[in-house]
Amino acid sequence: MTQTSEAPAAIEDQKPPTRLRIHRAWFVAAVTFVTIIGAAAFRSVPGLLIDPLHQEFGWSRGTIGAAVSINLALYGLTAPFAAALMDRFGIRRVVAVALTVISAGSLLTVWMTAAWQLLLYWGLLVGLGSGSMALAFAATVTNRWFTERRGLVSGILTAASASGQLIFLPLLSWMVTRYDWRPAAVTVALAALVVVPFVWLLLRDHPADVGQKPYGATEFVPKPAPVTGAARRTLRVLFSAVRTGPFWLLAGTFAICGASTNGLVQTHFVPAAHDHGMPVTAAASLLAVIGVFDVVGTIASGWFTDRFDARRLLAVYYALRGVSLLFLPMLLAPSVHPPMIFFIVFYGLDWVATVPPTLALCREHYGEDSAIVFGWVLASHQVGAALIAFLGGFARDTFGSYDLVWYASGALCAAAALMALVIRRTPATPATPGLAVA
C-alpha cells in the first residue's frame, strides 16, 4: 500500500518543467527594429552633406536644403499610402521594395553632376522609399501583432531610428571627413540593401500566418482579406479625419515636432556647430549621443503612455523641447563643454518621445483606421520638417546665422504644448466607423 500511494507522487516529481515560450510577436518586433535601423542610415546623411556638396559643386545651402525638403516631405506624404498598401499587398512586399528604392536612390547620387539630380535621387527616390519605411510601418506592426504593451512596443520601434543614427553617424561623418561624401552614400545604399533578405525571410504580415493570436489577445484573430483600392481608402480616411478636431491638433503638434527635430536639428545642427568652429566629426558625434538618449527617452515614453494621459505627456515634452532650443544659440562653441553635453542629453531624451502618445491618441480616436490616420499625421510632421530644412538653409544664406531659426522653433514648441492640452481626452460618438467627430 505504501508503494502504491507513493508512486503517483514520484511520477509527478519526474514531469519535465514547463518551457517558457516567447510569443512570435516579439520576434516580429525584433525584425522590424533591425529593419528600421538599416533604413535609418539615410537619416544620418543630410546634415553631413550640406558643406561637402556646397564646396564641391557650388550649390547654395538653400538648393541643398530643397532636396532635403523634398525627401522629408515625401517621407511623410508616402506614409499613409504605404500603410494602405501594406493592407493590400502585405508588409513584407512593401518594405522590401521600399528598401530597394532607398538603396538605388542613394547609390545614384555618386554619379550626379547637377542639382536637379540631387533633387531626383535624394529627394524623390530616397524620399519615396523612406516614406514606406516610416513610422506607419511601426504602427502597422504594433496594431496587428499586439493588443497589450502597444505603447512600449511603439516606443521601442520608434527608438530604432535613433539607434540607426547612433550606429551610422560617427561612421559616416568619419568617411566624409577622411575621404569624401561618396563612400557615405554607398554605405547608406548597402545598409538598406542588406536588410532586404531579413525582411523577406523572417517578417510575417499577420499573427494568423503562423497560427497565433496577437500578443495579449484572448481570442484568435483571423487574417483580414486584402483591402483593394489602397489609394481610395487612404484618401477616404483622410477626408473623414479632417472633419474631426483631434486630427488637426495632432497634425499641428506633429508638424512642429518635425520642424524642431528632423528639419532643424538633424539637418542643420552639424553645419551650425561648424559655423562656430566645432569640427564636423565632433558635431556629428553629439548628434549620435542624441540618438543614445533618444532610445532611452522613447522607450520610457512608451511605458509612460501605457499609464498616463497622453495629452499631458505631449504638453510636457513640447514645453521642455522649446525651452532647450531657446538656450542652444548660447551653447554653440568651438569645443564641446558641459552645458552643451547637458543640452544634448536633455534634447535626446525628448527627441521623438512624442511618437508613442501621438500614436496612442490616433488609436483612441480613429480605431481600425488609426495606422492610416497616423500616416497622415506623420505627413504633417515631415511637411513641417521639410519647411524648416529649407528655411533653415535660406536663413543661413540670408543672415549668416541660424540663431533666428532656433528661437522661432522654441516659440513653436510652446504653441504645440498648448495645442496638446486642447485635444479631447475621449472621442465623441463616431460618424463613421473608427472615426470620432469633434
Side-chain angles (χ1 to χ4, degrees):
M1 293 294 293
T2 305
Q3 292 179 351
T4 304
S5 60
E6 291 178 355
I11 294 173
E12 186 71 25
D13 291 340
Q14 293 176 4
K15 285 185 177 181
T18 303
R19 293 180 63 185
L20 179 63
R21 296 184 62 185
I22 300 176
H23 196 283
R24 182 64 177 267
W26 294 108
F27 290 103
V28 172
V31 174
T32 304
F33 186 89
V34 173
T35 303
I36 295 175
I37 286 179
F42 75 91
R43 299 188 64 186
S44 305
V45 174
L48 303 177
L49 294 185
I50 291 179
D51 284 339
L53 293 178
H54 173 70
Q55 294 170 5
E56 179 172 340
F57 296 104
W59 300 335
S60 70
R61 291 178 175 83
T63 298
I64 301 169
V68 177
S69 295
I70 294 173
N71 179 296
L72 292 173
L74 288 176
Y75 177 92
L77 293 173
T78 306
F81 293 96
L85 286 172
M86 288 177 189
D87 288 339
R88 173 66 178 88
F89 298 105
I91 298 175
R92 286 195 303 169
R93 293 179 181 177
V94 173
V95 172
V97 171
L99 288 167
T100 304
V101 172
I102 291 173
S103 180
S106 182
L107 192 60
L108 286 171
T109 59
V110 173
W111 294 283
M112 67 182 178
T113 57
W116 67 266
Q117 294 170 329
L118 177 67
L119 300 176
L120 175 62
Y121 301 151
W122 194 258
L124 181 63
L125 291 181
V126 177
L128 288 174
S130 60
S132 300
M133 289 294 304
L135 294 174
F137 168 42
T140 301
V141 170
T142 303
N143 288 348
R144 290 187 183 183
W145 282 88
F146 292 86
T147 58
E148 292 182 357
R149 306 295 178 87
R150 281 178 168 175
L152 176 63
V153 174
S154 62
I156 293 172
L157 296 182
T158 301
S161 182
S163 301
Q165 176 176 295
L166 166 65
I167 293 170
F168 287 107
L169 252 178
L171 173 64
L172 296 177
S173 64
W174 176 79
M175 286 183 176
V176 171
T177 304
R178 181 71 180 271
Y179 299 103
D180 189 16
W181 61 269
R182 290 176 177 82
V186 173
T187 301
V188 171
L190 293 178
L193 202 58
V194 163
V195 182
V196 174
F198 292 93
V199 171
W200 195 255
L201 296 175
L202 301 177
L203 194 63
R204 292 296 179 266
D205 293 330
H206 196 277
D209 290 340
V210 292
Q212 289 192 349
K213 298 179 292 186
Y215 179 82
T218 57
E219 297 180 357
F220 182 81
V221 178
K223 183 177 180 178
V227 181
T228 58
R232 289 194 304 272
R233 183 189 175 203
T234 304
L235 294 174
R236 174 178 57 77
V237 171
L238 173 63
F239 293 148
S240 298
V242 295
R243 296 198 296 268
T244 68
F247 175 81
W248 290 106
L249 292 169
L250 289 169
T253 55
F254 224 39
I256 294 172
C257 178
S260 56
T261 53
N262 300 51
L264 182 59
V265 175
Q266 188 164 9
T267 304
H268 294 291
F269 177 81
V270 172
H274 191 55
D275 284 346
H276 288 77
M278 184 179 293
V280 171
T281 51
S285 297
L286 290 177
L287 273 184
V289 173
I290 285 180
V292 175
F293 289 94
D294 182 19
V295 174
V296 177
T298 307
I299 294 175
S301 178
W303 188 85
F304 290 143
T305 301
D306 287 332
R307 290 161 175 79
F308 301 106
D309 185 351
R311 302 171 309 140
R312 296 185 179 180
L313 289 175
L314 285 178
V316 171
Y317 296 156
Y318 285 120
L320 293 176
R321 182 183 299 178
V323 171
S324 64
L325 284 173
L326 294 177
F327 282 97
L328 181 57
M330 295 178 284
L331 301 178
L332 293 171
S335 60
V336 179
H337 49 87
M340 172 57 78
I341 295 176
F342 179 80
F343 167 83
I344 293 298
V345 172
F346 189 85
Y347 202 82
L349 291 172
D350 197 11
W351 180 268
V352 286
T354 55
V355 173
T358 300
L359 181 55
L361 289 169
C362 286
R363 191 180 299 119
E364 176 184 336
H365 286 271
Y366 302 105
E368 294 180 356
D369 290 329
S370 61
I372 297 177
V373 173
F374 180 71
W376 284 113
V377 172
L378 178 63
S380 71
H381 180 282
Q382 295 307 117
V383 169
L387 185 62
I388 293 299
F390 170 72
L391 290 178
F394 178 79
R396 172 62 178 80
D397 289 336
T398 304
F399 304 108
S401 170
Y402 285 102
D403 288 357
L404 180 62
V405 187
W406 302 124
Y407 295 135
S409 296
L412 286 174
C413 288
L418 296 176
M419 292 167 65
L421 293 175
V422 179
I423 301 173
R424 287 178 180 269
R425 185 171 185 177
T426 55
T429 302
T432 58
L435 291 178
V437 178

